[in-house]
Every structure is written in C-alpha cells, then in structure tokens.
Amino acid sequence: MEPPVRLASTGTIIHGVSVGEVLGVSTLAEARLIAGESGLGRIVQRLNVMEVPDILAWVKPHELLLTTGYPLRNTPQSLGRLVADLDERGLAALAIKLGRYVDELPGDMVEQADRLGFPLILLPNDVGFDDILNQVLTDILNRQAAVLARAEEAHRALVQVVLAGGGLGEVAAEVAQLLDVSVAVVDGAGAVLATAGPAEHVAALRESISREGPPTTTARAPARAGGRGREFASVPVLAGGHHHGRIVAYSASTAIRDSDVGILERAATVAALVVTRQEAVNAVESKYRADFLRDVLTGRAGTAERVNGRARAFGWDLSRPVTVLVAELDPDGDERSAQDRLVACWTAAVRRHDPRGAVAGFSHEVVAVIDAGLDAARVAKDAAAAFADLPPATFSTGTSRPSPGADALPEAYAQALKAARVGRQLHGPGAVAHFDQLGVYRLLSLVNDTDELHAFVRETLGPLATDDDAENADLRRTLHVLLETNLNVAETARRLHFHYNTLRYRIGKLERMLGNFTDDPHLRLNLTLALHVLRMRGI
C-alpha cells in the first residue's frame, strides 16, 4: 500500500486557462471528459492533489483537483456528495484515475456533475501527476506572462496619451483600439463625457448606459460558461478618494475577458489622472472668474467698457439687461462639501438656460448673472432640484430687479443678497424670494443701523420684545393676529381657538402693557412694524 501523499498546492495565480484548454495539453491527450461539459469554460488558476481525507478544508477556488481516489477507497458512497462540495467551493474541475482504488464513478455523481456544469475528467493511468502539474502550470504561467506584458504595453500607451496632452476622448480611443471594443467615459452623474468605436456600437453602449447602466466590475470574475466573456464591462474612475465616474466597454462580437478588464482598470487610472489635471485647471479658472465677478459686483472692476471686454473673454455678456441671483447656503449644513456641489448645480442650471450668463462661487454663496428676459425662478428651481439629490444641505435664493448694465450690477447684487437673507428669515431654509416681493420688509431691510431697529422694537413692544417670560410669545401671537384681522375679535378668537371672553381679557392685558392700541391707529402701525422687525431679527 502506498503511503498517502501530502497536499501539494501550486500557489496563487491571477490569470489562468479554461478547463477546455487544459484538456488540449499533450499529457492529457488520452484524457476523457465524462461529465460537466457545460463547465468547460471554468478557469483553472491552480492545481492540487487530493490524497488525504480532509481535502475540503484545503481546496481553493479555480483549482483543478487531481486524485487517484485513495482517500475515497473505503467510502465510495461519498463520491456523490463530493461534486457538490467541490462546486460549492468554486473549484474548476476534478480529474481522477480509476482502477487502482476506485473502479468506477457512481451514476448519481456523473448526473450531478452534468447538472452543476462541473467537469469530471478521466485521466489515463500511464500519465503521472507531476507531468500534468508541470505542463499545465507552464501554460498558466505563460498565459499570465503574456497578459501582464499586454497590460504593461497598454499602460505605456495610455500614459503616453496623457503625457502628450490628450484628454478623455484620446484615452477612450486608445482603449477602443487596444481591445477592439466600443468605449464610453461616464461621469458620476451618468453623463457620457467621451466615446470611441464604431458608431452603431457606441449607440448601443449609450442606450445601455442611459437605460440602467451595465454592472460595475471592480474585480476579475470568472468568464461565462463555455469560455465566453462578458459583452459589457465597467470599472470605476477613482482619484483622491472620490468617485469621478466609470469607463464602460462593449463588444458586439469578441467577448470581453478578465485580461481586458485589467486593461480597463489601467485605463481608469489614467483617466483619473486626466480628471485630476482638468480639475486643477478648472480650479484656477474658477478662481479667476470668481475674483473678477466679485470685483464687478463690488464696483472695483473699472469702467463698463473694461468690464464688458473682460467678461466676453470668459464667455459672459454683461452689457445686456440682466438679473442677479444669489444662492446662499442655509446654516447648519456641511458648508465645506456643500459649497462645491452648490457651484456645480448652479453652473449647470445657468448653462442650460443662458450659455452667456455669468456664474461664480464665493465663500458661502453662488452668484449668477443671467438675461433679464429669462424666468429667474425657473433657473433657481432647476438648480434646487439638482442640489436636492445631494442632501442634507439647503440654500436660499434671492433675485434682484433687472439691471440695465454693468454699472448697476453692484446695486442689483445687494438687492439679491438682501432678498436671499430676508426670504430665509421669513420663510425658513430653502426660500426663494424676489427683492420686489418683500413688501414692507424691503423697506426695513434698507435700514443699515440694526441697533436703531432693535431699539425701536424694545420701545414699542416693551416686555413683549423678549422671551424672558414664557407668556410673551403667546401674547405676541395674539397681538399679531389681532392686527392682521384689523381688530376683528370674533375672527381672532376663531383663529386662535379662544373663547370670546378669553380674548377680551387678553386684549385688556395687552393694552395695559402697550397702550390703547384699539383706538390709536398710529400705535397700531408702530406695533405692526415692530413685530415685522422682530421677525427679521438676525438680518
């Protein structure tokens, strides 16, 4: 009796060959496939020898397992379960020599192998395991060397594209030529930035991306049964820890294999370099645009002729009648991350509605200058809709009166900024307000001395100006509704859900604190203004 042979594993291999290709090596010329023909496309990356009873604890995915059946000689009934166990662990195939320890394979084992697509290979008795190991490993290593050499050559070609100043279009074209596929570069929002390949294949690729997008491939997966690869492959473009989109490939004829995915991953790295480079350029350009627009809005940019000339260099038209919009981040948001998103959303919205409009981001706000004939509320709505997809921050928007030209832009900017801040105070975060629609609040907002306004509130409302007493807010609410209903006691009682006599008692208490406002129209006006100023506290 031969002693049991210890487990011999070949180690980890990245690439491999299919079971069908393994059967083509010379040492297996007399080998016979007895079951699992549908699994010939399974990939072999390792070889292992099973001559110990507890082999299942040691096997690894993508292994071709060789055995004489020695561990199973006394328990042939376990052969049926063996196929399911090996398939569950991701093995590629089982190759066995019959006659010495196991005379034949049970029918249920063969049937199960066919059902699972798990190849069972009958080895010729005159071939040694060492010959099979050497020859198959040589093929695997040669395949891996060829794949790595191809990937390295592709990487050099892609890097050369970037060094020559190429962009995403040139990267896509290089990948399409290297892999003979159609390629699309897609940003994080799903917009196609660049494509390459035959027009009809690019159209199919675009349709797939717009419909739902192919599954993202982040690791090499086994090829499909029968040796076919995938029709689509997609890898993410990552730079600086941020997801910038993905590169998608489509093949209508030859399948995309794992080695092709490896080249796509190289291309994604190069695309990340292109994206990072473009972002750096955009950051510098954005700073110049923002600095210039800030000078224009603060009246420091020079004459109207000089302003209009520089604006045209940025693609802006400030010589026509325009409207200024200010989008200001509401408090309590993550301003650092939200500000960049706010600029991006407003830039996209302005570009859709007014390609000659100006837009720039400042420290806490975004300012847009658009054609006065456009619907400013619709532009703000489009930007808000895009921004809403990226919670949790919100912003408030203010709109100015139409401005006849560059000279009047500082005044229009002040109007829009005031409308944004007053609108937030009146309507809460996410408000959209026009300067002309602020009513009396517009007049109050023009008073620059806020200390004087607060002094007026204290003098007019007396103890009701503060919340030192818990009852003050309740009494202010009663006073507000009384003034709003023009002292209609019945209507006020209905709105506040008070009994008529209860409200009469409250009116008496308010008059003892504030004066006889029910008979003094001037006092009622002062009280109304004081309540408005109190509502605008913090502006």
Side-chain angles (χ1 to χ4, degrees):
M1 178 185 298
E2 295 181 358
V5 180
R6 290 186 58 82
L7 176 71
S9 179
T10 61
T12 301
I13 301 294
I14 297 176
H15 301 285
V17 295
S18 69
V19 175
E21 291 171 316
V22 169
L23 289 173
V25 301
S26 59
T27 55
L28 295 178
E30 301 299 323
R32 183 164 59 89
L33 180 71
I34 55 178
E37 183 178 3
S38 62
L40 289 178
R42 292 180 181 234
I43 298 300
V44 177
Q45 294 179 343
R46 308 174 183 86
L47 283 87
N48 203 344
V49 177
M50 181 185 75
E51 300 295 15
V52 293
D54 59 343
I55 186 65
L56 291 177
W58 302 96
V59 294
K60 298 177 181 178
H62 308 303
E63 281 186 344
L64 171 61
L65 194 58
L66 308 176
T67 184
T68 61
Y70 176 80
L72 307 170
R73 66 193 185 286
N74 297 323
T75 56
Q77 67 276 9
S78 64
L79 287 173
R81 179 60 193 167
L82 180 63
V83 168
D85 290 337
L86 296 178
D87 179 69
E88 184 178 345
R89 287 162 174 76
L91 266 72
L94 174 66
I96 188 170
K97 286 185 178 182
L98 295 179
R100 188 165 188 178
Y101 301 110
V102 177
D103 292 330
E104 62 180 3
L105 299 180
D108 59 342
M109 181 182 184
V110 174
E111 181 182 346
Q112 188 174 49
D114 276 327
R115 185 172 68 254
L116 296 174
F118 184 83
L120 289 180
I121 301 170
L122 181 61
L123 296 174
N125 289 322
D126 58 347
V127 175
F129 284 173
D130 58 338
D131 293 332
I132 299 174
L133 288 168
N134 288 334
Q135 193 164 17
V136 175
L137 270 180
T138 298
D139 282 0
I140 291 175
L141 292 174
N142 287 340
R143 175 71 59 84
Q144 176 155 323
V147 168
L148 292 176
R150 179 175 177 240
E152 190 62 31
E153 180 183 354
H155 185 71
R156 284 197 298 269
L158 290 166
V159 169
Q160 188 59 41
V161 168
V162 177
L163 294 177
L168 294 176
E170 288 74 16
V171 171
E174 187 69 26
V175 174
Q177 182 177 354
L178 287 168
L179 302 182
D180 192 23
V181 295
S182 299
V183 178
V185 183
V186 185
D187 68 11
V192 177
L193 303 178
T195 60
E200 63 274 17
H201 296 168
V202 169
L205 185 55
R206 284 181 178 273
E207 182 182 355
S208 175
I209 292 170
S210 63
R211 184 171 61 247
E212 58 183 350
T216 299
T217 301
T218 55
R220 293 176 180 84
R224 292 186 302 207
R228 298 180 59 211
R230 50 184 75 81
E231 290 182 327
F232 289 98
S234 174
V235 295
V237 176
L238 303 174
H242 298 286
H243 190 286
H244 295 278
R246 63 191 196 275
I247 295 182
V248 188
Y250 166 65
S251 175
S253 54
T254 58
I256 300 174
R257 300 186 182 275
D258 293 336
S259 58
D260 299 330
V261 175
I263 292 178
L264 281 179
E265 290 170 349
R266 301 285 186 106
T269 302
V270 173
L273 294 176
V274 174
V275 170
T276 304
R277 180 187 65 189
Q278 189 59 48
E279 284 185 343
V281 173
N282 291 341
V284 174
E285 292 180 349
S286 295
K287 183 180 184 305
Y288 279 118
R289 286 195 296 267
D291 289 345
F292 170 63
L293 188 56
R294 184 182 289 108
D295 288 343
V296 171
L297 298 176
T298 55
R300 300 196 303 262
T303 64
E305 182 178 356
R306 182 172 182 271
V307 167
N308 293 333
R310 289 195 62 187
R312 283 193 293 272
F314 289 118
W316 302 342
D317 184 0
L318 302 183
S319 62
R320 56 185 174 165
V322 293
T323 300
V324 177
L325 295 93
V326 171
E328 191 174 50
L329 284 171
D330 295 320
D332 302 327
D334 184 359
E335 292 190 5
R336 186 170 185 179
S337 61
Q339 180 65 17
D340 291 340
R341 295 191 283 112
L342 185 65
V343 174
C345 291
W346 270 93
T347 300
V350 170
R351 290 293 171 265
R352 283 195 297 272
H353 292 273
D354 184 6
R356 296 185 298 162
V359 59
F362 299 160
S363 57
H364 302 288
E365 65 192 38
V366 174
V367 180
V369 183
I370 63 173
D371 189 341
L374 293 175
D375 185 350
R378 183 178 177 186
V379 178
K381 183 178 179 181
D382 282 0
F387 195 74
D389 294 335
L390 306 165
T394 59
F395 65 88
S396 297
T397 307
T399 306
S400 74
R401 293 169 174 166
S403 172
D407 289 338
L409 283 177
E411 180 182 357
Y413 170 62
Q415 293 172 358
L417 187 60
K418 188 66 67 175
R421 294 179 178 177
V422 174
R424 181 191 297 116
Q425 291 292 324
L426 299 180
H427 308 296
V432 179
H434 192 287
F435 185 72
D436 283 341
Q437 296 172 348
L438 298 179
V440 69
Y441 296 104
R442 186 179 80 223
L443 299 177
L444 293 173
S445 69
L446 295 176
V447 179
N448 294 324
D449 191 348
T450 56
D451 290 339
E452 188 64 31
L453 285 175
H454 294 160
F456 171 73
V457 171
R458 290 193 299 271
E459 293 167 3
T460 305
L461 294 179
L464 296 185
T466 67
D467 290 329
D468 295 340
D469 190 324
E471 189 182 15
N472 288 350
D474 194 29
L475 287 173
R476 282 201 306 270
R477 170 66 176 160
T478 301
L479 177 62
H480 172 74
V481 178
L482 272 170
L483 296 173
E484 195 175 61
T485 61
N486 198 23
L487 301 181
N488 187 324
V489 179
E491 176 62 17
T492 302
R494 186 188 66 81
R495 290 191 188 183
L496 296 177
H497 307 288
F498 288 159
H499 189 276
Y500 184 87
N501 291 335
T502 301
L503 184 58
R504 296 301 306 176
Y505 168 78
R506 283 177 168 253
I507 292 173
K509 187 172 183 177
L510 285 169
E511 289 197 316
R512 287 192 296 274
M513 297 173 68
L514 305 173
N516 189 19
F517 64 86
T518 57
D519 293 327
D520 186 347
H522 295 291
L523 179 55
R524 289 200 298 273
L525 176 60
N526 287 343
L527 291 171
T528 301
L529 289 175
L531 289 173
H532 286 329
V533 173
L534 195 62
R535 191 177 180 188
M536 291 173 59
R537 181 182 296 166
I539 298 175

